[in-house]
Each structure stands twice: as C-alpha cells, then as structure tokens.
Amino acid sequence: MILAVDTSLGTAVALIDADGERRAEAGAVDPLGHAEVIGDLLVDVLREAGDAKITHVVAGMGPGPFTGLRIGIAAARAFALGRGLPVVPVPSHFAAALTVLENETAPFAIVTDARRREVAITVFDGLDDDGIPVVVADTVLVRAADADAHLDGIRRIDVTTLSASDLARVGARALAAGRMLAGEEPLYMRHPDVTLPGAPKKVGT
C-alpha cells in the first residue's frame, strides 16, 4: 500500500494497493490553500481506505513554488516518520506524464504554471521498460509567452491538477525497479520571496 502526497499545483492525496489500483483519493484545486486542507484530505483518504496497511509514502517533489511544495513534502515526511515508513521522492511532472501516457505515446511536454508569468516544462516520450515515463528534456523554467517557441513544435499539455494515484503508481514502479527518480531536495523553480536578513552593516565612528 502506497500513500502519495503532492502540493505542486493544488493539493492531492491518494492511496493505491499492491496491484496499483486506487483505494482512495482526495484533492483540492486551490493552488494557495495547501496548509488549510492537507490534514483533512489525509484524514479522508485514510478513512476511505479503512484498515489498509501503508508500507511507503510517495512525496511529489515538484517543480512547484517554494511555499506550496514544501507543505506537501513536510506532510509526507511527517506521516512517514510517525509510522516508521520510507519516503519515496518522485518528480511531480512524472505523474502528469503517466496520466497522459495511458492513451498516448508521442513526445509531449507537460507544462505547469510557475506563476509570475512563467511556466515549468518537462518533455517526455513514452514509457521505459519499468513503466516509468521517459524524460527527453529536463524541467526548465521559461516565460509563458516564450513557451511555444521553446518547445519548437513539440505538443504541449497544460496541466492544472495532478493525479496523486498516478504519482503513487510511478513511485511503486520505481520501487519495484530499485530506482530513485529524485533526490531529497525539492525542485523549487525559484528561491522564496522572503529571505533572512544579512548581518547588520558596521557603522563608522
């Protein structure tokens, strides 16, 4: 049983079983209200799943804004720590790609809003032998107005919500293959707006 949590766009939580079937899923589309809803969504999913014994927690690692993304990662890590479970980090765009690849195989770009008139883009092409989406161009941040020129004819798929079930499925396939798809550091598209002040300047006498 794998629990997945992602806050790269809205807030998404899901639980899948050993066969990759969805046991429970809940989400909210508000891109700014992660902290207010994530606890309730976790409760709803766990209640719907009943006595399912969770074995792993998948955390969506972005790309995404600093504040929203870290809320989901912190929730996933806290849940895992409380139950003594391993955390499996998975890039969030992989989940969106898997959703698309259920019906298509041609090269395409997953495009998500990065705010400030910018978008995050990752290009995929099919599934590998482990059933994991193949990245052919790593995630980049570009001006929204320049996205089509950057893609140069590659079909774009603009994603506004993410399937936590598909995030969990990618994590399950990575586990089965003994692969790590992401490191411990989230893929923040930019630094946080608020930073710690520097040391005070010395005043001459």
Side-chain angles (χ1 to χ4, degrees):
M1 291 286 181
I2 296 179
L3 176 73
V5 179
D6 187 272
T7 52
S8 62
L9 295 172
T11 306
V13 181
L15 182 68
I16 65 168
D17 62 22
D19 296 322
E21 295 297 320
R22 181 178 64 187
R23 289 286 299 269
E25 186 162 13
V29 297
D30 184 357
L32 300 176
H34 311 290
E36 291 80 5
V37 302
I38 194 166
D40 290 337
L41 295 180
L42 282 165
V43 169
D44 291 343
V45 164
L46 295 174
R47 181 185 297 120
E48 184 178 346
D51 59 355
K53 184 178 179 181
I54 299 170
T55 58
H56 298 81
V57 179
V58 170
M61 303 303 285
F66 179 86
T67 302
L69 192 57
R70 68 193 180 105
I71 290 171
I73 295 170
R77 289 173 175 171
F79 183 92
L81 180 64
R83 297 202 177 191
L85 304 175
V87 176
V88 181
V90 173
S92 303
H93 277 190
F94 277 60
L98 185 62
T99 302
V100 173
L101 286 164
E102 290 179 351
N103 301 306
E104 305 181 36
T105 58
F108 60 88
I110 295 297
V111 181
T112 54
D113 182 15
R115 302 178 192 169
R116 300 183 190 172
R117 300 180 183 179
E118 295 177 314
V119 292
I121 298 174
T122 313
V123 181
F124 295 89
D125 187 5
L127 298 170
D128 62 22
D129 292 341
D130 297 321
I132 296 171
V134 176
V135 175
V136 294
D138 289 334
T139 305
V140 293
L141 184 69
V142 302
R143 291 178 61 243
D146 298 334
D148 289 338
H150 172 82
L151 290 170
D152 192 25
I154 297 174
R155 188 165 63 92
R156 63 183 284 175
I157 298 176
D158 290 82
V159 176
T160 57
T161 60
L162 192 94
S163 167
S165 291
D166 281 339
L167 185 74
R169 292 185 184 104
V170 174
R173 295 175 186 183
L175 277 170
R179 292 167 57 183
M180 290 291 292
L181 302 180
E184 295 298 318
E185 289 300 314
L187 182 55
Y188 298 129
M189 297 315 300
R190 62 178 66 86
H191 294 295
D193 292 330
V194 179
T195 58
L196 294 174
K201 294 181 180 179
K202 293 182 179 180
V203 179
T205 55

